[in-house]
Amino acid sequence: MTNQIKSHIERVVDGIDVIETNYLNRQRFAACYLMACGGEAAVIETNTNNAVPHILEAVRQAGLTNEQVKYVILTHVHLDHAGGTGELMRHLPNAQLVLHGRGRRHMIDPTKLIESVKHVYGEEKYREYYGDIQPVDKARVTVAEDNQVIYLGGRELLLIDSPGHAKHHIVVFDKETRSLFSGDAFGIAYPRFFPDGSRLVFPSTSPTQFDPQAALETYRRIVDLKPKRILHTHFGANEQVEDSYRQLQEWIEFSKTLAHENYEKGLRDKDLYESIRERIWARFEASMDAARGENLSEEERDFLFLDADLNAQGLAHYIQKLHS
Protein backbone atom coordinates (compact mmCIF):
# COMPACT_ATOMS: atom_id res chain seq x y z
CA MET A 1 0.00 0.00 0.00
CA THR A 2 1.11 3.58 -0.61
CA ASN A 3 0.07 7.03 0.42
CA GLN A 4 -1.90 7.24 -2.84
CA ILE A 5 -4.77 5.46 -1.10
CA LYS A 6 -7.20 8.08 0.17
CA SER A 7 -8.61 6.42 3.27
CA HIS A 8 -10.54 7.77 6.23
CA ILE A 9 -9.46 6.05 9.44
CA GLU A 10 -10.28 7.27 12.94
CA ARG A 11 -9.13 6.16 16.38
CA VAL A 12 -12.06 5.07 18.56
CA VAL A 13 -10.22 4.02 21.70
CA ASP A 14 -6.79 2.57 22.51
CA GLY A 15 -5.95 -0.03 19.88
CA ILE A 16 -9.18 0.24 17.88
CA ASP A 17 -9.67 2.17 14.64
CA VAL A 18 -12.83 2.57 12.56
CA ILE A 19 -12.33 2.36 8.79
CA GLU A 20 -14.65 4.10 6.33
CA THR A 21 -15.54 1.65 3.54
CA ASN A 22 -17.47 4.04 1.24
CA TYR A 23 -20.00 1.24 0.72
CA LEU A 24 -22.36 2.08 -2.18
CA ASN A 25 -20.44 5.37 -2.46
CA ARG A 26 -21.82 6.57 0.86
CA GLN A 27 -19.96 7.93 3.87
CA ARG A 28 -20.59 6.78 7.45
CA PHE A 29 -22.84 4.01 6.16
CA ALA A 30 -20.76 0.85 6.69
CA ALA A 31 -17.55 0.36 8.65
CA CYS A 32 -14.75 -2.09 9.22
CA TYR A 33 -12.56 -2.07 12.32
CA LEU A 34 -8.90 -2.71 13.05
CA MET A 35 -7.68 -3.85 16.46
CA ALA A 36 -3.97 -3.80 17.24
CA CYS A 37 -2.23 -5.05 20.39
CA GLY A 38 1.20 -6.43 21.19
CA GLY A 39 2.37 -6.55 17.59
CA GLU A 40 -0.73 -8.41 16.38
CA ALA A 41 -3.85 -7.20 14.62
CA ALA A 42 -7.41 -8.27 13.93
CA VAL A 43 -9.75 -6.98 11.23
CA ILE A 44 -13.43 -7.05 12.18
CA GLU A 45 -15.74 -7.02 9.12
CA THR A 46 -14.43 -6.76 5.55
CA ASN A 47 -17.29 -5.04 3.67
CA THR A 48 -16.63 -5.57 -0.08
CA ASN A 49 -13.54 -5.89 -2.28
CA ASN A 50 -13.68 -2.11 -2.67
CA ALA A 51 -12.86 -1.74 1.04
CA VAL A 52 -9.74 -3.93 0.96
CA PRO A 53 -7.29 -1.13 0.04
CA HIS A 54 -8.61 0.97 2.95
CA ILE A 55 -8.23 -1.92 5.39
CA LEU A 56 -4.66 -2.54 4.27
CA GLU A 57 -3.93 1.18 4.59
CA ALA A 58 -5.23 1.07 8.18
CA VAL A 59 -2.83 -1.79 8.91
CA ARG A 60 0.02 0.27 7.45
CA GLN A 61 -0.92 3.38 9.40
CA ALA A 62 -0.97 1.30 12.60
CA GLY A 63 2.72 0.56 11.98
CA LEU A 64 2.08 -3.11 11.22
CA THR A 65 2.75 -5.40 8.28
CA ASN A 66 0.16 -7.58 6.58
CA GLU A 67 1.94 -10.59 8.09
CA GLN A 68 1.11 -9.33 11.61
CA VAL A 69 -2.66 -9.60 11.09
CA LYS A 70 -3.65 -12.65 13.11
CA TYR A 71 -7.43 -12.70 12.63
CA VAL A 72 -10.11 -11.61 10.23
CA ILE A 73 -13.39 -11.79 12.17
CA LEU A 74 -16.84 -11.64 10.58
CA THR A 75 -19.96 -10.97 12.59
CA HIS A 76 -21.95 -12.67 9.80
CA VAL A 77 -21.69 -13.32 6.07
CA HIS A 78 -24.08 -10.74 4.59
CA LEU A 79 -22.00 -9.12 1.87
CA ASP A 80 -21.87 -5.61 3.35
CA HIS A 81 -19.97 -7.31 6.20
CA ALA A 82 -18.15 -10.14 4.44
CA GLY A 83 -17.99 -9.61 0.68
CA GLY A 84 -14.31 -8.64 0.65
CA THR A 85 -13.11 -11.48 2.86
CA GLY A 86 -11.56 -13.74 0.21
CA GLU A 87 -9.75 -10.85 -1.46
CA LEU A 88 -8.49 -9.50 1.89
CA MET A 89 -7.24 -12.92 3.02
CA ARG A 90 -5.03 -13.08 -0.10
CA HIS A 91 -3.10 -10.10 1.29
CA LEU A 92 -2.88 -11.39 4.88
CA PRO A 93 -0.90 -14.63 4.69
CA ASN A 94 -0.96 -15.43 8.42
CA ALA A 95 -4.55 -14.47 9.21
CA GLN A 96 -7.17 -16.96 10.30
CA LEU A 97 -10.80 -16.27 9.41
CA VAL A 98 -13.11 -16.51 12.44
CA LEU A 99 -16.89 -16.70 12.01
CA HIS A 100 -20.08 -18.52 13.01
CA GLY A 101 -20.28 -22.16 11.98
CA ARG A 102 -23.39 -21.56 9.88
CA GLY A 103 -21.48 -19.08 7.72
CA ARG A 104 -18.39 -21.22 7.16
CA ARG A 105 -19.46 -22.95 3.94
CA HIS A 106 -20.42 -19.65 2.28
CA MET A 107 -16.90 -18.28 2.69
CA ILE A 108 -15.28 -21.50 1.47
CA ASP A 109 -17.63 -21.62 -1.52
CA PRO A 110 -19.37 -18.25 -2.08
CA THR A 111 -21.31 -19.47 -5.15
CA LYS A 112 -24.74 -19.12 -3.54
CA LEU A 113 -23.91 -15.66 -2.18
CA ILE A 114 -22.81 -14.55 -5.64
CA GLU A 115 -25.93 -15.99 -7.30
CA SER A 116 -28.23 -14.25 -4.84
CA VAL A 117 -26.56 -10.88 -5.36
CA LYS A 118 -26.61 -11.22 -9.14
CA HIS A 119 -30.31 -12.13 -8.95
CA VAL A 120 -31.04 -8.90 -7.07
CA TYR A 121 -28.65 -6.46 -8.77
CA GLY A 122 -27.65 -8.05 -12.08
CA GLU A 123 -24.15 -8.87 -13.32
CA GLU A 124 -23.03 -5.27 -13.92
CA LYS A 125 -24.05 -3.94 -10.50
CA TYR A 126 -22.66 -7.04 -8.80
CA ARG A 127 -19.24 -6.24 -10.26
CA GLU A 128 -19.53 -2.55 -9.38
CA TYR A 129 -20.67 -3.06 -5.78
CA TYR A 130 -18.82 -6.22 -4.79
CA GLY A 131 -16.08 -6.99 -7.30
CA ASP A 132 -15.34 -10.69 -7.80
CA ILE A 133 -16.02 -12.46 -4.51
CA GLN A 134 -13.18 -14.88 -3.74
CA PRO A 135 -13.34 -18.17 -1.79
CA VAL A 136 -11.31 -18.74 1.38
CA ASP A 137 -9.15 -21.83 1.86
CA LYS A 138 -11.00 -24.04 4.37
CA ALA A 139 -7.73 -24.64 6.24
CA ARG A 140 -7.75 -20.95 7.14
CA VAL A 141 -11.30 -20.90 8.55
CA THR A 142 -11.99 -21.22 12.28
CA VAL A 143 -15.52 -21.68 13.64
CA ALA A 144 -16.34 -19.44 16.60
CA GLU A 145 -17.96 -21.23 19.53
CA ASP A 146 -20.34 -19.44 21.89
CA ASN A 147 -18.45 -17.86 24.82
CA GLN A 148 -15.11 -18.69 23.22
CA VAL A 149 -12.16 -16.47 24.11
CA ILE A 150 -9.41 -15.78 21.60
CA TYR A 151 -6.29 -13.72 22.27
CA LEU A 152 -4.80 -10.79 20.39
CA GLY A 153 -1.43 -9.72 21.73
CA GLY A 154 -2.56 -10.89 25.17
CA ARG A 155 -5.90 -9.07 24.90
CA GLU A 156 -9.03 -11.19 25.45
CA LEU A 157 -11.74 -11.17 22.82
CA LEU A 158 -14.99 -12.89 23.77
CA LEU A 159 -17.05 -14.37 20.92
CA ILE A 160 -20.79 -14.68 21.52
CA ASP A 161 -23.51 -16.36 19.48
CA SER A 162 -26.03 -13.60 18.73
CA PRO A 163 -29.05 -14.61 16.61
CA GLY A 164 -31.98 -12.32 15.85
CA HIS A 165 -30.82 -10.51 12.74
CA ALA A 166 -29.36 -13.74 11.35
CA LYS A 167 -28.83 -17.26 12.69
CA HIS A 168 -25.14 -17.15 11.74
CA HIS A 169 -24.25 -14.03 13.74
CA ILE A 170 -21.64 -13.47 16.42
CA VAL A 171 -20.55 -10.37 18.32
CA VAL A 172 -17.04 -9.67 19.63
CA PHE A 173 -16.37 -8.17 23.06
CA ASP A 174 -12.99 -6.59 23.83
CA LYS A 175 -12.73 -6.99 27.59
CA GLU A 176 -9.91 -4.46 28.01
CA THR A 177 -11.78 -1.46 26.60
CA ARG A 178 -15.28 -2.93 27.13
CA SER A 179 -16.01 -2.32 23.45
CA LEU A 180 -18.46 -4.59 21.66
CA PHE A 181 -18.35 -5.10 17.88
CA SER A 182 -22.03 -5.64 17.18
CA GLY A 183 -22.37 -6.20 13.42
CA ASP A 184 -26.15 -6.00 12.97
CA ALA A 185 -26.97 -7.63 16.31
CA PHE A 186 -27.48 -4.40 18.29
CA GLY A 187 -29.17 -2.28 15.70
CA ILE A 188 -28.22 0.43 13.24
CA ALA A 189 -27.25 3.91 14.47
CA TYR A 190 -26.12 6.40 11.86
CA PRO A 191 -24.25 9.36 13.41
CA ARG A 192 -25.07 11.67 10.49
CA PHE A 193 -28.60 12.26 11.76
CA PHE A 194 -27.51 13.64 15.14
CA PRO A 195 -24.42 15.88 15.13
CA ASP A 196 -24.79 16.33 18.91
CA GLY A 197 -23.72 12.70 19.47
CA SER A 198 -27.12 11.25 20.36
CA ARG A 199 -28.45 8.31 18.36
CA LEU A 200 -31.60 6.99 16.75
CA VAL A 201 -31.12 3.23 16.95
CA PHE A 202 -33.33 0.74 15.15
CA PRO A 203 -33.04 -3.00 14.49
CA SER A 204 -32.18 -4.54 11.15
CA THR A 205 -35.15 -6.84 10.45
CA SER A 206 -34.04 -7.71 6.92
CA PRO A 207 -34.85 -11.07 5.31
CA THR A 208 -34.68 -13.97 5.69
CA GLN A 209 -33.77 -14.96 9.25
CA PHE A 210 -35.18 -12.17 11.40
CA ASP A 211 -36.42 -13.55 14.73
CA PRO A 212 -37.80 -10.93 17.16
CA GLN A 213 -37.59 -13.07 20.28
CA ALA A 214 -34.01 -14.10 19.54
CA ALA A 215 -33.15 -10.45 18.87
CA LEU A 216 -34.50 -9.40 22.28
CA GLU A 217 -32.51 -12.15 23.99
CA THR A 218 -29.36 -11.07 22.14
CA TYR A 219 -29.87 -7.43 23.18
CA ARG A 220 -30.23 -8.49 26.81
CA ARG A 221 -27.13 -10.65 26.65
CA ILE A 222 -25.11 -7.80 25.18
CA VAL A 223 -26.28 -5.30 27.80
CA ASP A 224 -25.48 -7.80 30.58
CA LEU A 225 -21.83 -7.60 29.54
CA LYS A 226 -21.95 -3.90 30.54
CA PRO A 227 -20.11 -2.63 27.47
CA LYS A 228 -18.87 0.94 27.58
CA ARG A 229 -19.50 1.35 23.87
CA ILE A 230 -21.11 -0.43 20.95
CA LEU A 231 -19.09 -0.42 17.73
CA HIS A 232 -21.75 -0.61 15.03
CA THR A 233 -20.91 -1.73 11.53
CA HIS A 234 -23.64 0.78 10.56
CA PHE A 235 -22.00 3.05 11.88
CA GLY A 236 -19.31 3.84 14.41
CA ALA A 237 -18.96 4.10 18.17
CA ASN A 238 -22.04 4.56 20.34
CA GLU A 239 -21.67 5.01 24.11
CA GLN A 240 -25.40 5.43 24.78
CA VAL A 241 -25.86 1.72 25.41
CA GLU A 242 -28.83 1.75 27.79
CA ASP A 243 -30.80 4.27 25.75
CA SER A 244 -30.05 2.29 22.59
CA TYR A 245 -31.28 -0.87 24.30
CA ARG A 246 -34.55 0.85 25.20
CA GLN A 247 -35.03 2.03 21.63
CA LEU A 248 -34.33 -1.42 20.23
CA GLN A 249 -36.88 -3.04 22.56
CA GLU A 250 -39.51 -0.52 21.48
CA TRP A 251 -38.72 -1.04 17.79
CA ILE A 252 -39.01 -4.83 18.12
CA GLU A 253 -42.43 -4.54 19.76
CA PHE A 254 -43.48 -2.06 17.07
CA SER A 255 -42.19 -4.39 14.34
CA LYS A 256 -43.99 -7.44 15.68
CA THR A 257 -47.25 -5.56 16.09
CA LEU A 258 -46.91 -4.03 12.63
CA ALA A 259 -46.35 -7.38 10.97
CA HIS A 260 -49.23 -9.08 12.79
CA GLU A 261 -51.72 -6.24 12.21
CA ASN A 262 -51.06 -6.10 8.48
CA TYR A 263 -51.22 -9.86 8.11
CA GLU A 264 -54.51 -10.00 10.00
CA LYS A 265 -55.92 -7.40 7.58
CA GLY A 266 -55.50 -10.03 4.87
CA LEU A 267 -52.52 -8.39 3.20
CA ARG A 268 -50.01 -10.71 1.54
CA ASP A 269 -46.84 -10.55 -0.52
CA LYS A 270 -46.33 -7.16 -2.26
CA ASP A 271 -49.34 -5.52 -0.57
CA LEU A 272 -48.11 -6.68 2.84
CA TYR A 273 -44.58 -5.44 2.22
CA GLU A 274 -45.71 -2.03 0.91
CA SER A 275 -48.07 -1.42 3.82
CA ILE A 276 -45.36 -2.33 6.33
CA ARG A 277 -42.84 -0.08 4.59
CA GLU A 278 -45.25 2.87 4.73
CA ARG A 279 -45.61 2.45 8.51
CA ILE A 280 -41.85 2.12 8.95
CA TRP A 281 -41.38 5.45 7.19
CA ALA A 282 -44.04 7.02 9.40
CA ARG A 283 -42.15 5.85 12.48
CA PHE A 284 -38.87 7.20 11.15
CA GLU A 285 -40.53 10.56 10.52
CA ALA A 286 -42.15 10.68 13.96
CA SER A 287 -38.92 9.62 15.71
CA MET A 288 -36.89 12.29 13.97
CA ASP A 289 -39.47 14.95 14.66
CA ALA A 290 -39.57 14.05 18.36
CA ALA A 291 -35.78 13.90 18.70
CA ARG A 292 -34.75 16.86 16.55
CA GLY A 293 -37.87 18.95 16.10
CA GLU A 294 -37.60 18.47 12.35
CA ASN A 295 -38.53 15.76 9.91
CA LEU A 296 -36.40 13.79 7.49
CA SER A 297 -35.02 15.71 4.53
CA GLU A 298 -35.16 14.18 1.05
CA GLU A 299 -31.43 13.46 1.29
CA GLU A 300 -31.93 11.69 4.61
CA ARG A 301 -34.85 9.69 3.24
CA ASP A 302 -32.64 8.57 0.39
CA PHE A 303 -29.94 7.54 2.87
CA LEU A 304 -32.45 5.45 4.87
CA PHE A 305 -34.29 4.00 1.89
CA LEU A 306 -32.34 0.73 1.75
CA ASP A 307 -32.86 0.04 5.47
CA ALA A 308 -36.58 0.83 5.36
CA ASP A 309 -37.01 -1.33 2.27
CA LEU A 310 -35.06 -4.31 3.64
CA ASN A 311 -36.73 -4.07 7.05
CA ALA A 312 -40.16 -4.13 5.42
CA GLN A 313 -39.19 -7.13 3.30
CA GLY A 314 -37.89 -8.91 6.37
CA LEU A 315 -41.04 -8.29 8.43
CA ALA A 316 -43.28 -9.45 5.56
CA HIS A 317 -41.19 -12.61 5.21
CA TYR A 318 -41.18 -13.21 8.98
CA ILE A 319 -44.96 -13.00 9.43
CA GLN A 320 -45.81 -15.06 6.35
CA LYS A 321 -43.31 -17.74 7.35
CA LEU A 322 -44.76 -17.72 10.88
CA HIS A 323 -48.22 -18.52 9.47
CA SER A 324 -47.11 -20.93 6.77
Side-chain angles (χ1 to χ4, degrees), residues 19-123:
I19 305 164
E20 170 64 70
T21 66
N22 298 306
Y23 180 54
L24 303 182
N25 296 316
R26 293 181 172 188
Q27 281 70 56
R28 310 191 89 185
F29 188 54
C32 298
Y33 291 92
L34 179 72
M35 280 195 65
C37 182
E40 296 180 335
V43 175
I44 298 97
E45 313 284 55
T46 66
N47 194 249
T48 70
N49 287 351
N50 299 326
V52 170
H54 303 297
I55 295 170
L56 298 178
E57 176 65 8
V59 172
R60 188 194 70 79
Q61 288 189 20
L64 300 170
T65 66
N66 292 356
E67 289 75 17
Q68 289 174 281
V69 179
K70 184 177 183 180
Y71 300 117
V72 173
I73 306 174
L74 301 179
T75 62
H76 60 305
V77 301
H78 292 168
L79 292 183
D80 53 332
H81 298 254
T85 302
E87 174 64 18
L88 180 64
M89 294 288 284
R90 291 196 313 109
H91 296 272
L92 307 177
N94 299 323
Q96 196 72 8
L97 176 62
V98 180
L99 77 170
H100 195 287
R102 289 176 180 265
R104 177 180 181 272
R105 64 188 176 94
H106 293 297
M107 290 292 98
I108 295 171
D109 180 6
T111 303
K112 287 188 176 180
L113 292 177
I114 293 170
E115 288 174 352
S116 65
V117 173
K118 286 183 178 180
H119 177 72
V120 173
Y121 293 108
E123 178 75 28

Side-chain angles (χ1 to χ4, degrees), residues 119-185:
H119 177 72
V120 173
Y121 293 108
E123 178 75 28
E124 185 177 345
K125 286 296 184 183
Y126 159 71
R127 298 287 177 187
E128 178 186 346
Y129 292 160
Y130 300 101
D132 189 13
I133 297 172
Q134 300 293 320
V136 178
D137 182 350
K138 64 181 180 182
R140 300 183 66 191
V141 180
T142 297
V143 170
E145 302 295 338
D146 188 29
N147 278 325
Q148 180 181 355
V149 174
I150 60 175
Y151 294 89
L152 185 74
R155 199 150 153 177
E156 290 189 14
L157 303 180
L158 176 64
L159 310 177
I160 301 171
D161 188 22
S162 50
H165 170 73
K167 293 180 179 179
H168 61 279
H169 203 299
I170 63 169
V171 297
V172 183
F173 184 53
D174 172 32
K175 294 185 176 182
E176 182 170 315
T177 65
R178 308 206 66 79
S179 302
L180 186 132
F181 301 88
S182 63
D184 286 342

Side-chain angles (χ1 to χ4, degrees), residues 3 7 10 24 109 175 221 231 255 288 298:
N3 290 328
S7 302
E10 292 183 6
L24 303 182
D109 180 6
K175 294 185 176 182
R221 194 171 180 195
L231 300 179
S255 298
M288 289 295 182
E298 284 304 311

Side-chain angles (χ1 to χ4, degrees), residues 211-270:
D211 180 336
Q213 188 56 42
L216 289 170
E217 291 168 3
T218 288
Y219 301 157
R220 177 72 263 169
R221 194 171 180 195
I222 288 171
V223 170
D224 282 347
L225 290 169
K226 301 188 183 308
K228 183 174 182 180
R229 66 185 58 81
I230 302 295
L231 300 179
H232 297 276
T233 301
H234 309 284
F235 179 98
N238 172 15
E239 296 194 356
Q240 299 175 21
V241 180
E242 287 292 339
D243 183 62
S244 297
Y245 177 45
R246 175 190 58 77
Q247 291 186 58
L248 288 168
Q249 289 175 301
E250 291 174 354
W251 268 93
I252 289 293
E253 292 308 315
F254 161 76
S255 298
K256 287 197 303 181
T257 300
L258 177 60
H260 282 279
E261 285 180 351
N262 280 274
Y263 188 88
E264 289 164 6
K265 288 178 183 177
L267 299 177
R268 300 292 184 272
D269 302 321
K270 184 181 178 182

